[in-house]
């Protein structure tokens, strides 16, 4: 088959399609299947919703639709201008896929039969062992944990802290919420020690501003004392 | 920080904590700039929920932690602008020592929750991005510690939170299922505090949501349903990033002088 962008011999690839799905609870709720081809005389034969370029949009819902949107741009003319379109998606995706750390590649679910570059070989399933709930044999807290400093394997963004958040009732009839923390940060955070404390007392409420479509979380009134953080000079 | 056989002392200027072997922390804090001071004691109930003890918890490769969070009782005094108030309630303390702490990678939908009733207490920790869920319950009457199970946090009544430029859930409905029984409780926020944020978009701020009370029930494994009393609690959430500030006034962010951890 001869086209404006070259000749395609019999037995070579003349068409491909890629399926992109959005899943909810493991079931597809959105699906897009772009199909790129230089001709419809294929072996094996593929079904095409129509000849030429365009989109078929099918909605299976309360208002079911099956619509076709056809481009009036002549296919041959478009093909001569952007004949590299087939390769652009996977080729442009290569650096981004390679940059994704292995543990996040499991979100890249590509259908193997639609994946010309074999990206599925990069997937790495997340195991329960890596992300399962933490269980400890002895849950008791000892002074060893209370006194623990930076772990021996600490990186430059290590952090240690002693923190607290509280909700309490005062003998003045008010309710108080407060938090405090004493923390030390490693060199990646600037070799910083700091402590902070904040107290809130007057409840706010969620309100619907007039004319808005959203509601606003009214925080504790700003007039009350709140507290600050205090960087502390670290001892040499 | 100094350690003896009797205590661990953490001292930073006018903020002091004494950790003692009986499971209590004693705080003494004075913040002259804001006129706030306090002397109070946290007493952990039962056992804590551990991030890591014998082994670290690897949330993502750039967030590896040891430590615990522990719900309990708080008792002491707060002094605000010279007025001393005796306080009594519940709280959560955290001992945290991280190999590596990267909030951006921990990222979206971190819920760090505590609850305390007369009958039980516990903690939940969920990071949806890393698909991580930890929990622990302690049942007082049975003296039973449960550190396995599943839970679901449903977010309701979303509202725009101007201090962080984010939409936050203002009402939480939580269901935990364990071999000891099913705990169900709700909490509604009446205020918030951006605990750590650079205050610029995009960011992944941590936001403390203050709950005035927690209401719940516990259905024991023998189907006995118990209404829980005197519930207190709260949660800290970390969102993926603020809602686009061009839409709803995020330019009003107030930068906070707090390290971003």
């Amino acid at each position: 088959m001869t086209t404006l962008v070259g000749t395609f011999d019999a037995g070579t690839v003349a068409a491909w399609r890629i399926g992109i799905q959005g899943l909810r609870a493991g079931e597809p709720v959105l699906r897009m299947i772009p199909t790129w081809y230089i001709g419809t005389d294929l072996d094996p034969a593929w079904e095409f919703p129509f000849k030429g370029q365009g989109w078929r949009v099918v909605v299976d819902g309360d208002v079911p639709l099956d619509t076709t949107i056809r481009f009036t741009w002549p296919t041959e003319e478009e093909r001569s201008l952007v004949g590299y379109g087939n390769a652009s998606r996977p080729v442009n995706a290569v650096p981004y896929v390679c940059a994704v750390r292995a543990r996040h590649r499991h979100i890249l679910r590509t259908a193997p039969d639609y994946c010309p570059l074999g990206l599925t070989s990069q997937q790495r399933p997340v195991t329960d062992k890596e992300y399962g709930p933490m269980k400890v044999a002895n849950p008791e807290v000892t002074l060893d944990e209370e006194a623990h400093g930076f772990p021996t394997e600490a990186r430059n963004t290590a952090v240690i802290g002693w923190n607290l958040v509280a909700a309490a009732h005062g003998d003045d009839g008010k309710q108080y919420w407060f938090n405090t923390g004493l923390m030390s940060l490693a060199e990646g955070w600037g070799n910083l020690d700091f402590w902070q404390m904040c107290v809130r007392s007057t409840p706010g409420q969620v309100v619907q501003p007039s004319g808005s479509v959203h509601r606003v979380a009214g925080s504790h009134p700003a007039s009350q004392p709140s507290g600050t953080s205090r960087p502390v000079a670290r001892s040499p | 920080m100094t350690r003896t056989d009797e205590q661990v002392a953490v001292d930073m200027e006018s903020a002091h904590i004494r950790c003692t072997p009986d499971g209590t922390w004693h705080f003494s804090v004075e913040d002259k700039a804001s006129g706030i001071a306090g002397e109070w004691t946290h007493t952990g109930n039962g056992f804590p929920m551990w991030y890591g003890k014998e082994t670290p918890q690897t949330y993502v490769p750039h967030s590896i932690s040891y430590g615990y969070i522990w719900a309990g009782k708080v008792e002491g005094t707060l002094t605000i602008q010279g007025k001393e108030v005796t306080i009594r309630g519940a709280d959560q303390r955290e001992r945290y020592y991280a190999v590596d702490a990267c909030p951006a990678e921990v990222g979206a939908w971190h819920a760090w929750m505590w609850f305390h009733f007369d009958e039980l207490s516990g903690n939940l920790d969920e990071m949806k991005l890393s698909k991580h869920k930890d929990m622990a319950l302690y049942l007082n009457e049975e003296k039973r510690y449960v550190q396995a199970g599943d839970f679901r946090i449903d977010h309701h009544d979303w509202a725009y939170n101007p201090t962080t430029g984010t939409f936050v859930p203002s009402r939480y409905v939580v269901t935990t299922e364990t071999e000891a029984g099913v705990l169900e409780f709700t909490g509604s926020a009446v205020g918030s505090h951006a605990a750590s944020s650079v205050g610029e978009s995009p960011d992944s701020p941590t936001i403390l949501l203050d709950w005035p009370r927690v209401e719940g029930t516990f259905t024991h494994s023998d189907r006995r349903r118990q209404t829980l009393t005197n519930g207190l609690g709260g949660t800290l959430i970390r969102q993926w990033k603020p809602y686009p500030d061009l839409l709803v006034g995020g330019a009003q962010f107030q930068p906070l002088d707090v390290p971003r951890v």
Side-chain angles (χ1 to χ4, degrees):
Chain A
M1 177 179 291
T2 299
T3 73
L4 291 174
V5 294
T7 299
F8 295 82
D9 297 328
T12 60
V13 175
W16 67 281
R17 57 173 43 137
I18 180 170
I20 303 169
Q21 293 188 133
L23 305 178
R24 185 177 63 190
E27 296 297 322
V29 293
L30 288 171
R31 180 186 292 126
M32 183 175 77
I33 307 176
T35 301
W36 301 77
Y37 59 95
I38 59 170
T40 56
D41 184 15
L42 305 175
D43 182 19
W46 277 7
E47 287 189 9
F48 293 89
F50 49 81
K51 290 186 177 180
Q53 298 183 81
W55 295 95
R56 181 188 181 205
V57 181
V58 179
V59 178
D60 184 9
D62 294 339
V63 183
L65 298 173
D66 188 341
T67 60
T68 299
I69 303 170
R70 302 281 298 274
F71 295 159
T72 56
W73 195 7
T75 299
E76 290 72 18
E77 183 180 338
E78 183 272 345
R79 199 174 280 157
S80 68
L81 294 172
V82 289
Y84 48 80
N86 272 359
S88 62
R89 290 188 187 195
V91 170
N92 288 335
V94 167
Y96 300 101
V97 173
C98 293
V100 174
R101 295 190 331 279
R103 288 188 180 183
H104 285 171
R105 284 187 183 134
H106 68 283
I107 66 173
L108 299 173
R109 294 183 178 177
T110 49
D113 52 338
Y114 292 152
C115 189
L117 296 184
L119 297 180
T120 50
S121 65
Q122 300 293 328
Q123 294 180 22
R124 180 170 176 271
V126 176
T127 66
D128 289 343
K129 185 177 181 182
E130 290 174 298
Y131 290 134
M134 175 60 65
K135 294 181 184 177
V136 298
N138 177 10
E140 288 191 22
V141 176
T142 70
L143 291 186
D144 289 340
E145 286 89 20
E146 310 289 43
H148 207 294
F150 289 112
T152 53
E153 66 271 38
R155 300 173 184 168
N156 72 340
T157 51
V159 173
I160 60 174
W162 294 258
N163 302 313
L164 177 134
V165 293
H169 297 282
D171 62 0
D172 59 355
K174 290 184 177 178
Q175 188 166 3
Y176 292 87
W177 298 268
F178 58 99
N179 59 282
T180 191
L182 282 66
M183 302 186 76
S184 292
L185 316 179
E187 62 269 23
W189 302 107
N191 267 332
L192 181 68
D193 292 343
F194 78 98
W195 64 272
Q196 59 177 324
M197 181 176 182
C198 179
V199 179
R200 287 86 64 192
S201 61
T202 307
Q205 58 183 335
V206 174
V207 297
Q208 179 95 40
S210 176
S212 75
V213 295
H214 60 271
R215 295 192 290 175
V216 173
S219 192
H220 304 283
S223 58
Q224 67 184 23
S226 58
T228 56
S229 65
R230 292 277 182 276
V232 176
R234 181 172 289 179
S235 301
Chain B
M1 184 258 294
T2 56
R3 176 180 177 173
T4 67
D5 290 341
E6 287 76 36
Q7 68 174 20
V8 172
V10 186
D11 300 291
M12 289 187 185
E13 293 184 335
S14 55
H16 311 278
I17 304 174
R18 298 287 179 268
C19 313
T20 50
D22 61 356
T24 60
W25 281 10
H26 308 268
F27 287 77
S28 174
V29 181
E30 182 179 13
D31 181 359
K32 289 183 179 176
S34 62
I36 295 175
E39 304 269 349
W40 68 88
T41 298
H42 163 95
T43 304
N45 188 49
F47 299 106
M49 190 211 87
W50 287 90
Y51 299 134
K53 195 177 186 191
E54 295 91 355
T55 58
Q57 187 74 279
T58 301
Y59 297 104
V60 292
H62 290 288
S63 188
I64 305 169
S65 303
Y66 297 89
Y68 64 80
I69 46 178
W70 196 358
K73 290 183 176 177
V74 64
E75 196 169 357
T77 61
L78 290 177
T79 302
I80 301 172
Q81 309 294 348
K83 179 187 174 187
E84 184 177 288
V85 180
T86 298
I87 52 119
R88 187 187 301 265
D91 60 353
Q92 170 183 264
R93 84 186 197 213
E94 177 188 45
R95 188 67 251 279
Y96 179 68
Y97 34 109
V99 174
D100 194 340
C102 179
E105 295 209 16
V106 171
W109 286 116
H110 182 185
W112 186 78
M113 189 176 293
W114 65 278
F115 47 90
H116 185 281
F117 299 93
D118 292 338
E119 297 81 7
L120 58 84
S121 65
N123 309 81
L124 305 174
D125 191 28
E126 180 175 26
M127 298 185 185
K128 288 196 173 183
L129 184 67
S130 64
K131 300 185 175 183
H132 211 102
K133 294 170 91 172
D134 278 321
M135 62 166 291
L137 288 180
Y138 187 79
L139 308 178
N140 295 342
E141 186 177 344
E142 299 91 329
K143 292 183 169 49
R144 183 173 181 180
Y145 176 62
V146 182
Q147 57 178 334
D150 197 9
F151 60 87
R152 171 178 169 151
I153 302 173
D154 289 324
H155 308 96
H156 298 272
D157 297 343
W158 289 74
Y160 180 64
N161 188 30
T163 57
T164 53
T166 57
F167 277 95
V168 298
S170 64
R171 186 165 62 90
Y172 283 72
V173 178
V174 180
T175 303
T176 75
E177 297 186 19
T178 72
E179 60 182 13
V182 177
L183 169 66
E184 299 168 280
F185 66 85
T186 61
S188 296
V190 295
S192 67
H193 171 65
S196 172
S197 168
V198 296
E200 298 172 358
S201 178
D203 188 17
S204 56
T206 53
I207 306 165
L208 283 170
L209 296 179
D210 297 327
W211 297 345
R213 73 191 69 84
V214 182
E215 296 172 334
T217 61
F218 189 77
T219 304
H220 294 260
S221 53
D222 60 6
R223 297 187 179 180
R224 179 168 45 94
R225 186 179 174 90
Q226 187 175 20
T227 299
L228 305 173
T229 56
N230 294 319
L232 290 172
T235 189
L236 175 146
I237 60 174
R238 188 195 303 275
Q239 295 180 305
W240 177 238
K241 61 180 179 180
Y243 202 77
D245 56 8
L246 57 91
L247 295 180
V248 281
Q252 300 169 3
F253 291 163
Q254 297 297 315
L256 301 173
D257 183 23
V258 178
R260 184 187 181 189
V261 295

